[in-house]
Amino acid sequence: MSRTSAVTAPPRVVAATVLGTVLEWYDFAIYGALATVIGKLFFPADDPTTSLLIALASYAVGFVCRPIGSIVLGRFGDRAGRRNMLAITMVVVGGSSLLIGLLPTYASVGLLAPVLLVALRMIQGLAVGAEWTGGATYLIEYAGTGRRGFFGGVVQASTVVGFLSGTGVATLLVRVDQEWAWRVPFLVGGLVAAIGLFVRLKLDESPAYLRVRTEERVQAEGEVRRDPTRKNWLLLFGIVFGITLYGYTATSWPAFLAGVTELPLAEALTTNVIALAVEVPLIVLAGWLSDRVGRRPLMIGATAVFTVGTYPMFLLATGGTMAGALTGQLLFVITFAALCGPMAALFVEMFPTRVRSSAFSSSYNVAVALFGGTAPFVNTFLATRTGSHVAPAYYLTVGAVVSLVLLATVRDRHREELD
C-alpha cells in the first residue's frame, strides 16, 4: 500500500505515553543502579558479592509476574481499551514505587523487610508487563503509515530516558548518606505517577481500536490461541531473546562493573549516564530512518555487529578504567540504538488490532521475564564464577545470533496500513 502520514499522534498522547514509560524504567533503573546499596540494607551477608547477587535476584523476581500481567492486562486492553489499561498500569507502578521508598530495612524489622520488598517488586511487575507494550501499541496505532517507526522510536527512547533519569539520580545519591538517600527516587516516582494518571485519564482511545470496535471485531475468548498470528507470537518471542539480553545489560552496567571489576560505583554510574544520554537521540533517529528504509535492514545490521563485536566491547568496558568503561559502553549503546529504534513499530505491525494488545504484550514479556530480567544476575554470576569479566559476552553473542536468524524471516510492513 502507499505510504501516508495523514494521521499523527497529538502531543498530549505522546506526553502521556512517554511519561508512563519513563516512570516504569526510571524505577527499574533506580533499583538496578542501587543494587549494591539495597543488597546491604535488605539482604545483608558477610560477602558483599553474595548481597549483590541476592539483590539482583530480587530484581529478576520483579519480572516473574510480567507474563501474568501481560496476559491479563493485555486482554483487558483489547476488550476495554488501551487508555483504560494504561491508567491501571500507572497506578500500580507508581503506587509500588512509593511503598518501596517507605519500607523499613533489615536492621529495623529483620526478614520482613526483604519479604515486603520482593512482594512489591512482584506487584509492580504485574503492571510493568503491560506498560511499555501497551504504551507502544497505543501511540503507534495513533501514528499514520510512514510515521510509526518514528513514534516507536520515541517510545523506545523514553525507556532510556527513564533509565538515564534513574541512573543519574543514583549517581548523585551514592555520594551522600546511603542509609536514607536511596528512598528519595522511589518517593519521587510515586509523585510522577499521580501526574501521569491525571494526564492519561484525559486521553481519547486510539483510532485503530475504535475502528475495530465499530466493526465489531473485538477478540473472542481464546482467539489468540487459534489466531494465525500464533506463528508471529513465537517469532517475536525468539527475536526478543537476544534483544532483551542486550537491553538489560546496557542498563545494568553500573552494578556489574562495580561488582566484578575494581571500578568505583560512582565512576561506573557516571559512564553509564553518559552512554545512555548519547543513546537517546540515536534511538529516535533509527526509528525515523526505519520509516524510510524498513525495520529489518537496521535491526539485522545491528545484530550482525553484536555477533562479532560483543566480546571486544566487553573487553573494553571491563578493563578497570573509567575511559575503557565509557568507550565499551558507547560502542554497545550505539549499536543497540540501531536495533531497538525500529523494534516497537516492527512488533506492533506483526499483529492485527483486535489481538494486538494481548498478543504483543504476552509474547514480549514472557521473553523478557525469562531472559531480560535475569540478564544482570546471569552476567554477574558468569563473571564471578568463571573469574573472567568478559564471560557474559559469550552468552549475549548467542542471543544476537538467534535474533539475527529470526529477523531475517520477518515480513517488513513499514509501508502498509495496520490491519
Side-chain angles (χ1 to χ4, degrees):
M1 295 184 181
S2 61
R3 181 182 302 184
T4 175
S5 55
V7 180
T8 191
R12 72 182 190 286
V13 172
V14 178
T17 303
V18 166
L19 186 60
T21 305
V22 167
L23 173 63
E24 172 191 347
W25 299 110
Y26 160 88
D27 185 81
F28 273 79
I30 284 292
Y31 192 93
L34 295 177
T36 53
V37 177
I38 292 173
K40 294 175 183 177
L41 296 176
F42 286 86
F43 309 98
D46 294 333
D47 180 11
T49 300
T50 301
S51 291
L52 173 61
L53 284 171
I54 296 174
L56 290 174
S58 68
Y59 175 90
V61 164
F63 288 77
V64 171
C65 290
R66 287 184 67 148
I68 300 173
S70 69
I71 294 170
V72 174
L73 292 174
R75 177 163 294 186
F76 180 81
D78 281 333
R79 293 184 171 184
R82 320 305 196 205
R83 189 202 68 162
N84 294 330
M85 179 192 69
L86 290 174
I88 292 175
T89 60
M90 182 66 80
V91 170
V92 178
V93 171
S96 299
S97 179
L98 178 64
L99 291 175
I100 288 174
L102 296 173
L103 282 179
T105 63
Y106 187 92
S108 300
V109 296
L111 288 174
L112 181 61
V115 169
L116 291 174
L117 177 61
V118 171
L120 286 172
R121 293 289 300 166
M122 295 182 73
I123 292 171
Q124 196 172 48
L126 288 170
V128 169
E131 172 58 44
W132 179 80
T133 53
T137 297
Y138 180 69
L139 183 55
I140 293 172
E141 284 181 346
Y142 247 109
T145 307
R147 299 283 285 171
R148 295 195 297 262
F150 170 76
F151 284 109
V154 169
V155 174
Q156 187 61 26
S158 70
T159 68
V160 184
V161 171
F163 277 120
L164 177 60
S165 301
T167 306
V169 170
T171 302
L172 298 176
L173 293 181
V174 294
R175 302 179 187 276
V176 298
D177 187 354
Q178 297 178 10
E179 291 294 326
W180 62 267
W182 67 272
R183 299 181 183 276
V184 176
F186 291 105
L187 298 177
V188 171
L191 176 62
V192 173
I195 298 172
L197 177 62
F198 175 79
V199 175
R200 285 188 170 181
L201 288 175
K202 292 183 174 295
L203 296 177
D204 297 323
E205 193 49 79
S206 83
Y209 180 79
L210 290 176
R211 173 174 55 80
V212 299
R213 290 287 294 185
T214 301
E215 297 172 357
E216 298 183 345
R217 294 197 293 118
V218 179
Q219 166 188 355
E221 185 72 27
E223 187 177 345
V224 169
R225 292 190 297 270
R226 300 191 305 269
D227 194 277
T229 58
R230 183 174 64 176
K231 176 183 177 181
N232 281 354
W233 193 101
L234 295 171
L235 185 58
L236 190 153
F237 173 85
I239 293 171
V240 173
F241 167 47
I243 294 177
T244 196
L245 290 183
Y246 283 91
Y248 284 92
T249 296
T251 53
S252 62
W253 277 114
F256 178 79
L257 293 176
V260 305
T261 75
E262 297 180 357
L263 194 68
L265 178 59
E267 293 186 6
L269 286 167
T270 300
T271 59
N272 195 239
V273 166
I274 295 172
L276 292 178
V278 171
E279 184 182 11
V280 170
L282 294 179
I283 290 175
V284 179
L285 177 62
W288 172 83
L289 187 59
S290 75
D291 283 327
R292 285 143 184 83
V293 303
R295 325 296 185 208
R296 291 175 66 247
L298 291 173
M299 297 180 72
I300 288 174
T303 49
V305 171
F306 273 135
T307 298
V308 298
T310 300
Y311 181 87
M313 292 176 193
F314 259 80
L315 203 59
L316 277 170
T318 60
T321 68
M322 187 172 180
L326 178 58
T327 303
Q329 288 180 77
L330 284 174
L331 293 173
F332 196 96
V333 300
I334 289 170
T335 307
F336 188 66
L339 176 61
C340 71
M343 180 180 73
L346 178 74
F347 292 165
V348 165
E349 291 162 351
M350 290 174 70
F351 301 103
T353 301
R354 68 184 185 277
V355 297
R356 181 172 295 122
S357 178
S358 53
F360 175 24
S361 291
S362 58
S363 177
Y364 179 84
N365 282 288
V366 169
V368 169
L370 290 174
F371 309 115
T374 58
F377 176 85
V378 172
N379 288 344
T380 303
F381 179 83
L382 290 174
T384 55
R385 288 305 176 94
T386 64
S388 171
H389 299 162
V390 297
Y394 300 108
Y395 177 47
L396 268 68
T397 299
V398 170
V401 172
V402 172
S403 294
L404 175 62
V405 171
L406 294 178
L407 279 167
T409 69
V410 175
R411 175 185 171 189
D412 203 324
R413 300 187 57 201
H414 71 289
R415 296 180 183 273
E416 301 177 16
E417 299 287 348
L418 293 177
D419 295 343

